[in-house]
Amino acid sequence: MEKSENAYIALQRHLDRQPVGFPATKSGSEIKILKRIFTPQEAEIATCLTYKFESLEVIFERAGHLVESPEKLAELLERIEKNGGIESKIKNGKKHYCNIPLVVGMYEYQLGKLTPEFIKDFDEYTSDKKFGLEFLSTKLPQMRTIPIGKSLQPQHHVSPFDEVLALLQQAEPPFAVLECLCRQKATLLGTPCRVTDRKETCFATGGLAQACLRNGVGREVTREEGMAILEKNQKQGLVLQPSNTQKAEFICSCCGCCCGMLGMHKSLPRPVDFWASNFYAMVDTGKCDGCGNCEKRCQVGAAKVSEKMRKSLVNRNRCIGCGLCVSTCPNDAISLKKKPKEVMPPETREDLLDIIMAHKKGRLGKLKVTGKLLFDAVRTGQTHLLR
């Protein structure tokens, strides 16, 4: 029993040294999560991987003392991947494997496998301050927000990586449409989505889509079918959040009531400091009649109608530039503005993780993030967020 427990502790420490860490907590909920995904032997095997995709031969050099042959190692890696503990990609005709973070990674691969017990452990862990600090302390966020198509104007000179249809047009096949895991979780908890009753709204492309389809996650669609689904997502008021890369490996379509990312956004005093977006919304008060459409449409609580002025106001600390408020304003009183400095995302997810790893924060760095959160909460009068 002690040996098996040590296997999970070793894996937790190993994962914590990866770009997006996996810190230990007093509750031990991180160990419970690992136990739901890995057997003790699989946990030992997973400590022989890194965040970089590596071939079976390279991994066997590290894991050879744990298994009798490369064939047995391949069998175990396949099983771990099926359970959502690692990821694989085909390179030069051969499978390569890597560790993945809890989010975005192991949690998302629980699609179709969620249980009330897993949700309980996951919620306990992700509500812990240690997880929150680790997640917020990365040099770059793993996801970003891009505007919906109807909110963009020719004068924006939109880069292809900020336009969803361009992202899908340039993405490598295959394409897989997935059920939204966050809405699946909300339904299991008895709080169904208030924005849409559609389930299949999120996408994976290229190598990530291949991995999903190999493991029975999602279904394959054509590029044209994908574009049609994204059009519906935009009309219904879902926020478009692709991977923070120029080549999108996934495109999530998120709501403020279910999405874990947007939920975290709403819990921060100045969330845009931790967000990747090149736009923000601005109100022309001369045109605004205070109808409240933008407030209803906004998924992050950034747009509010002032009771005193009867005009809409947009909180620049909260606006993520999704453009949902723009497309439904009856008076064309809201428009998107491009931020003075355009931020170009890394080309691939491997590049993104390399950057995060190179700037991984230690204890001092996380203390600085904590200090910033405290200062921002006091300065903005949102001390209730410090609970």
Side-chain angles (χ1 to χ4, degrees):
M1 183 68 179
E2 184 180 341
K3 183 181 178 183
S4 66
E5 196 73 16
N6 287 340
Y8 292 113
I9 293 170
L11 179 56
Q12 175 271 310
R13 291 173 178 170
H14 173 74
L15 293 175
D16 197 35
R17 293 190 291 270
Q18 303 308 306
V20 183
F22 190 62
T25 62
K26 288 182 179 179
S27 71
S29 50
E30 70 282 356
I31 301 298
K32 296 176 189 175
I33 290 171
L34 293 179
K35 287 180 177 179
R36 298 193 185 281
I37 298 175
F38 302 86
T39 66
Q41 184 186 22
E42 291 167 354
E44 287 186 289
I45 294 292
T47 61
C48 299
L49 279 65
T50 73
Y51 74 94
K52 291 180 177 289
F53 285 102
E54 295 177 316
S55 67
L56 181 68
E57 293 77 15
V58 170
I59 297 168
F60 185 70
E61 289 178 10
R62 301 190 202 109
H65 65 291
L66 298 171
V67 290
E68 59 270 25
S69 67
E71 290 74 24
K72 182 61 178 178
L73 176 60
E75 180 186 320
L76 286 166
L77 290 172
E78 294 295 314
R79 199 163 70 193
I80 300 170
E81 186 183 11
K82 280 281 185 187
N83 288 330
I86 61 174
E87 192 176 307
S88 75
K89 177 181 281 191
I90 308 260
K91 288 186 174 184
N92 301 319
K94 288 187 175 181
K95 263 196 172 186
H96 290 57
Y97 304 86
C98 71
N99 290 133
I100 48 177
L102 177 63
V103 181
V104 177
M106 287 187 275
Y107 173 61
E108 284 70 22
Y109 277 119
Q110 300 312 303
L111 184 62
K113 299 190 283 283
L114 277 181
T115 64
E117 294 78 18
F118 186 96
I119 291 172
K120 178 178 178 294
D121 294 336
F122 177 80
D123 285 350
E124 182 177 42
Y125 183 62
T126 54
S127 63
D128 191 284
K129 288 183 174 64
K130 286 190 175 180
F131 169 82
L133 279 175
E134 180 66 34
F135 195 80
L136 292 173
S137 294
T138 59
K139 171 71 173 178
L140 296 175
Q142 295 179 75
M143 298 173 70
R144 59 197 177 96
T145 301
I146 59 174
I148 66 168
K150 288 188 177 179
S151 65
L152 295 170
Q153 300 298 325
Q155 65 266 25
H156 285 136
H157 305 294
V158 182
S159 302
F161 53 75
D162 267 339
E163 210 285 297
V164 69
L165 296 184
L167 278 176
L168 206 55
Q169 285 166 349
Q170 294 176 6
E172 296 177 2
F175 306 97
V177 62
L178 317 171
E179 281 193 34
C180 174
L181 181 68
C182 296
R183 288 187 205 103
Q184 190 176 95
K185 175 188 170 187
T187 300
L188 282 171
L189 294 175
T191 55
C193 183
R194 297 192 297 270
V195 178
T196 181
D197 58 3
R198 292 167 53 240
K199 296 179 180 179
E200 293 183 330
T201 57
C202 299
F203 284 91
T205 72
L208 186 59
Q210 287 180 351
C212 289
L213 295 170
R214 278 197 306 271
N215 291 290
V217 178
R219 64 182 178 89
E220 189 169 0
V221 295
T222 64
R223 197 187 305 265
E224 291 69 28
E225 287 174 314
M227 289 182 178
I229 292 170
L230 282 171
E231 288 284 4
K232 287 182 182 178
N233 294 352
Q234 295 179 79
K235 286 178 181 177
Q236 285 197 302
L238 298 176
V239 177
L240 304 178
Q241 297 198 107
S243 51
N244 192 12
T245 53
Q246 293 179 47
K247 294 181 178 179
E249 292 197 13
F250 63 83
I251 302 173
C252 289
S253 296
C254 307
C255 58
C257 50
C258 304
C259 174
M261 290 290 183
L262 297 185
M264 176 175 280
H265 174 285
K266 290 187 282 190
S267 72
L268 300 173
R270 281 179 56 92
V272 292
D273 292 346
F274 301 92
W275 224 255
S277 173
N278 280 322
F279 295 87
Y280 65 92
M282 179 174 284
V283 179
D284 181 340
T285 54
K287 293 182 179 179
C288 177
D289 63 6
C291 71
N293 273 7
C294 55
E295 186 172 337
K296 293 172 186 173
R297 185 91 159 161
C298 183
Q299 298 298 309
V300 293
K304 299 282 184 184
V305 175
S306 164
E307 291 185 11
K308 182 179 179 181
M309 298 170 55
R310 296 309 305 164
K311 303 284 186 181
S312 178
L313 302 173
V314 173
N315 185 338
R316 287 277 302 276
N317 291 328
R318 297 201 157 274
C319 178
I320 55 178
C322 68
L324 289 175
C325 57
V326 176
S327 61
T328 53
C329 179
N331 300 315
D332 295 325
I334 309 180
S335 59
L336 280 189
K337 301 296 180 184
K338 204 166 188 180
K339 292 180 179 178
K341 184 179 180 182
E342 181 180 65
V343 179
M344 181 180 292
E347 188 171 349
T348 67
R349 191 155 48 115
E350 287 92 337
D351 297 332
L352 172 66
L353 291 174
D354 280 341
I355 292 170
I356 293 174
M357 190 68 189
H359 296 86
K360 189 174 173 68
K361 287 183 172 63
R363 187 178 178 186
L364 179 59
K366 288 172 186 172
L367 282 173
K368 288 180 179 178
V369 173
T370 302
K372 171 181 167 47
L373 291 170
L374 290 168
F375 178 76
D376 289 344
V378 172
R379 186 174 62 172
T380 61
Q382 299 175 88
T383 52
H384 63 284
L385 296 177
L386 301 178
R387 294 171 188 168

